[in-house]
Amino acid sequence: MLRDLARLRLLTGKQLRRLHFAAGDLTTQARKARSAVGRLAELDLVVRLSRRVGGMRAGSEGFVIGLSGWGHAVLALDSTAEPRRRRRVIETKPAFQSHVLAVSELYVQLVEASRLGVAELIDFTGEPEAWRRFGGIGGQAVVLKPDAFVRLGIGEFEVLAFIEQDMDTESLPTIVRKCEVYVSHWRSGLEQRALGAYPKVWWLVPSARRLDAIRRALKRLPGEAHALFEICLTAEAVPLLTQPLPEGGAS
């Protein structure tokens, strides 16, 4: 549970239940999840934020939960990586929380799909570990900041994807500028040398109207870069990401 919170930054009680207490009936799952989260809170390893997702009726499953400073410290004890400063989760704006939780929901659904044998979830890396640093045309340092990097095994193929979770809050020019960074990163060849292929960039959007708007905006990009991007409704992301690949095709 602590590792998932470190990976994703925030999870709801319901998402934690689905990830770690999926066995048994719903009442048993919920009871075990409440007990585990309560114990972690007593040990000051997690923080329960004041906001609830789904309102008061959601009960404990609606709590938004993040790692405390102690939680990060406990995970660091089991890590060989260079230690770095980690801040405990603090109260943040609802819009930020909603965005983070949407990315977390994608992870939860991919885990559930993996359990069903639909696809193998090989890797899911959130921010900032999913970021890529590279040199721009003028030699300046550039940082590509996807919301997540996903690696799936589907049959004998692998699917690589950068995830951009859109919440219909950024302007279309901002979306285009971010896509231009992806194009520059693609042209650098760094990812291809590391992974053998460049990940598809998936924009997950909340509505058909937003999908059409982003699709029109991305036509401003160079023609050869259009194939880098895929746009879909957030609700359809997991079925599309995990769909069987055509014979002889990898992504």
Side-chain angles (χ1 to χ4, degrees):
M1 292 172 71
L2 296 180
R3 289 192 185 96
D4 277 339
L5 287 167
R7 183 201 310 268
L8 302 163
R9 295 188 288 183
L10 297 175
L11 285 159
T12 65
K14 181 178 181 179
Q15 288 171 335
L16 280 168
R17 171 181 61 77
R18 290 161 58 198
L19 284 172
H20 296 281
F21 302 95
D25 60 73
L26 189 57
T27 300
T28 301
Q29 293 176 24
R31 175 176 53 78
K32 289 181 177 180
R34 281 195 306 272
S35 176
V37 172
R39 180 59 176 156
L40 291 176
E42 289 174 5
L43 294 170
D44 197 25
L45 299 178
V46 301
V47 178
R48 284 187 285 201
L49 305 185
S50 59
R51 181 193 177 206
R52 291 193 188 191
V53 176
M56 296 297 291
R57 290 187 178 183
S60 62
E61 291 212 334
F63 275 116
V64 179
I65 301 161
L67 276 185
S68 69
W70 283 114
H72 282 295
V74 167
L75 288 177
L77 293 173
D78 195 34
S79 174
T80 58
E82 187 72 21
R84 58 178 175 167
R85 185 181 178 188
R86 292 277 195 171
R87 294 182 178 177
R88 63 172 283 159
V89 169
I90 58 175
E91 296 292 339
T92 53
K93 294 181 179 180
F96 172 81
Q97 290 185 21
S98 296
H99 178 264
V100 173
L101 290 172
V103 177
S104 297
E105 180 61 24
L106 174 66
Y107 173 70
V108 174
Q109 290 186 22
L110 286 172
V111 169
E112 291 173 332
S114 183
R115 287 174 184 155
L116 293 173
V118 175
E120 179 188 0
L121 181 55
I122 300 171
D123 186 23
F124 188 106
T125 309
E127 295 188 275
E129 284 75 12
W131 295 358
R132 304 295 199 261
R133 290 167 174 80
F134 66 103
I137 295 177
Q140 76 278 20
V142 181
V143 183
L144 177 70
K145 298 182 178 181
D147 292 323
F149 168 75
V150 176
R151 191 171 192 166
L152 297 170
I154 301 178
E156 56 190 72
F157 301 112
E158 283 192 4
V159 170
L160 308 174
F162 286 126
I163 302 297
E164 288 290 341
Q165 179 64 60
D166 178 71
M167 305 300 286
D168 201 358
T169 55
E170 293 185 312
S171 68
L172 293 176
T174 299
I175 299 292
V176 173
R177 285 194 295 272
K178 186 156 194 179
C179 288
E180 288 171 344
V181 178
Y182 275 108
V183 174
S184 296
H185 185 238
W186 167 61
R187 285 175 172 165
S188 76
L190 292 173
E191 203 76 11
Q192 296 93 312
R193 287 195 289 274
L195 299 176
Y198 196 81
K200 180 83 75 173
V201 183
W202 285 77
W203 283 92
L204 315 186
V205 303
S207 68
R209 177 193 60 78
R210 181 68 166 175
L211 187 152
D212 290 339
I214 292 180
R215 182 171 287 160
R216 290 194 299 271
L218 295 194
K219 289 182 179 179
R220 306 173 200 171
L221 297 172
E224 71 272 17
H226 290 175
L228 292 176
F229 302 96
E230 195 75 44
I231 312 168
C232 73
L233 296 175
T234 299
E236 298 175 353
V238 171
L240 290 173
L241 280 166
T242 60
Q243 65 184 346
L245 295 171
E247 285 295 326
S251 177

